[in-house]
Structure formats: C-alpha cells, structure tokens
Amino acid sequence: MRPTVLALALVLCLVLANGCSKDISRATAATVLSVKGRVVFRNADRNVFEPVTLKSRIHDGDTVRSADGASLDLILIPGTLVRLSGDSEIRIEQLSITKDGNDTGLDMRDRNARILLGRGKIFVLFSPSETSASQVVIKAGPLMITPDSDCLFCVGTDGTTTRVTCSKGIINASAEAPSPVTIAAGYFQQWPTTRTQPGLATDDATAQIDITASLEAGGRLQDEMSRLQNRRPL
C-alpha cells in the first residue's frame, strides 16, 4: 500500500472513531424570569447572601431565600419553571443537561433538575420535551416529588408538615411511609398522614387556595417565558 493511501486510511479511521464520541453532560444554571421584593442567594462556598437580580445565575449548591411578600420566578432547566413564594427557601442540588458529543446545536438528550425545599412554598410548571428525557425531583423533608406528565403543582412545608397539591397532570410522591402515592389534577396529599389516598381539593379549603394560586403562578410563568423568547434574537 502506498504511503498516501495508508495515510488516508488512518485519517478515515480517526474520523469514524470520533463519530462515536460519548454524550457530554454538563452543569447549567437557573435563569431568573422575574423577582419581586427581597430575594437573596448564596453559593455553597460563600457565607454572604447577595440580592437576586435579573442577571443572576443560580447554580448547583446555591441556596435561595425570599422575604415575606417576595417572589422569584425561575427557569430551572428547559421545560421546568418554578415560582418561589414569600418566606421560602430552596437549595439547588443539581441542574444539568446532556448533549450528543458531536452536536453543535441546541438539541439535548437529557435534562435533570433536583432541588430541596427547606421551608415555604414553590409552584412548579413542568412541560416535558418530545425529543429528550427530563428528570425533575423536588425534595421536601422525607418526600421525593416527581412530575409524571405535563403538569402544574405546588409543594409547601413548614419543616414538620408537607403538603402537595396538583392542579394539572399527574405527579408521584414517595416517602419512607406510607406507600408512594400518585396525585392527579384536583387532588392533594399531606404528610405525615395515615391516609393512603389523596384527598379532593374541593373538600379542603387550603387545597382550594393552593389550586387557585397554582393557576395564577402557572399563567404568570408562561407569560414571562413567552416574553423572554420574544426578546431573544432570531
């Protein structure tokens, strides 16, 4: 075989090998859609909280706190929007996306978000992608809450009692006891509890308030997301 042909064969082998590169997973940051009142955040490596602004980027390990009457709207990952209510605290445990190693576009294979609600209340609007897997986990005390479909729900805790109310779609919630439960739209569940099945929101005054607040938060999050997309260059 001539040297030139051998060299070309070697280059072709290298190109084919690179074409089989592994997916690339990387951490990302939450995007601030809006902030009302005093909301602060702190990196795990710092002891000082600083105000959240529209330019803030909130990463893994960051803790976010809101004052009474304040609120914060975030894009955790594409397709997952969150509103932090007043007098609440969350900690970002994971925000990541996985892309094809050869993909230079915006396509993603996986999207992952995991946050811990220490106290207060959050509203979550989840819209799964048709082209990539999304895993979202909300932790509150012993609970692990995961959306199972296109859904809107709220989670509230005071450190002792945790309540989950679903306004749209289906979510799953699991704890050490009792057994895991599936909560459909119009239902709620509270922990600790001896009840094995979620209750109807129409039978509970607090759940009705949560449903109304969730619908308002979901509409606001969708509007803010639309405005953000319209501001971006084509």
Side-chain angles (χ1 to χ4, degrees), residues 142-146 164 170-184 188-191 193-198:
L143 277 181
M144 303 276 284
I145 304 115
T146 57
V164 181
I170 297 173
I171 56 176
N172 298 311
S174 61
E176 295 178 358
S179 302
V181 296
T182 297
I183 308 174
F188 78 98
Q189 181 67 298
Q190 181 171 300
W191 289 264
T193 183
T194 57
R195 186 174 57 194
T196 58
Q197 296 297 323

Side-chain angles (χ1 to χ4, degrees), residues 186-188 199-205 207-208 211:
Y187 287 81
F188 78 98
L200 270 170
T202 53
D203 295 336
D204 184 271
Q208 292 178 42
I211 291 285

Side-chain angles (χ1 to χ4, degrees), residues 6-60:
L6 181 60
L8 289 174
L10 179 59
V11 170
L12 179 59
C13 289
L14 290 173
V15 170
L16 292 175
N18 290 333
C20 300
S21 59
K22 296 181 179 179
D23 292 344
I24 298 174
S25 181
R26 64 177 178 84
T28 186
T31 300
V32 177
L33 286 171
S34 71
V35 56
K36 173 186 175 183
R38 180 166 175 77
V39 184
V40 296
F41 75 111
R42 179 187 66 184
N43 185 273
D45 299 329
R46 300 193 305 268
N47 293 322
V48 179
F49 281 88
E50 60 184 77
V52 174
T53 70
L54 292 176
K55 295 182 179 180
S56 298
R57 300 284 285 173
I58 300 173
H59 298 82
D60 291 5

Side-chain angles (χ1 to χ4, degrees), residues 3 16 20 27 29 36 45 67 82 94 103 105 111 119 131 155 176:
L16 292 175
C20 300
K36 173 186 175 183
D45 299 329
V82 168
Q94 180 190 19
D103 189 5
R111 314 171 184 196
R119 60 179 172 83
T131 59
V155 183
E176 295 178 358

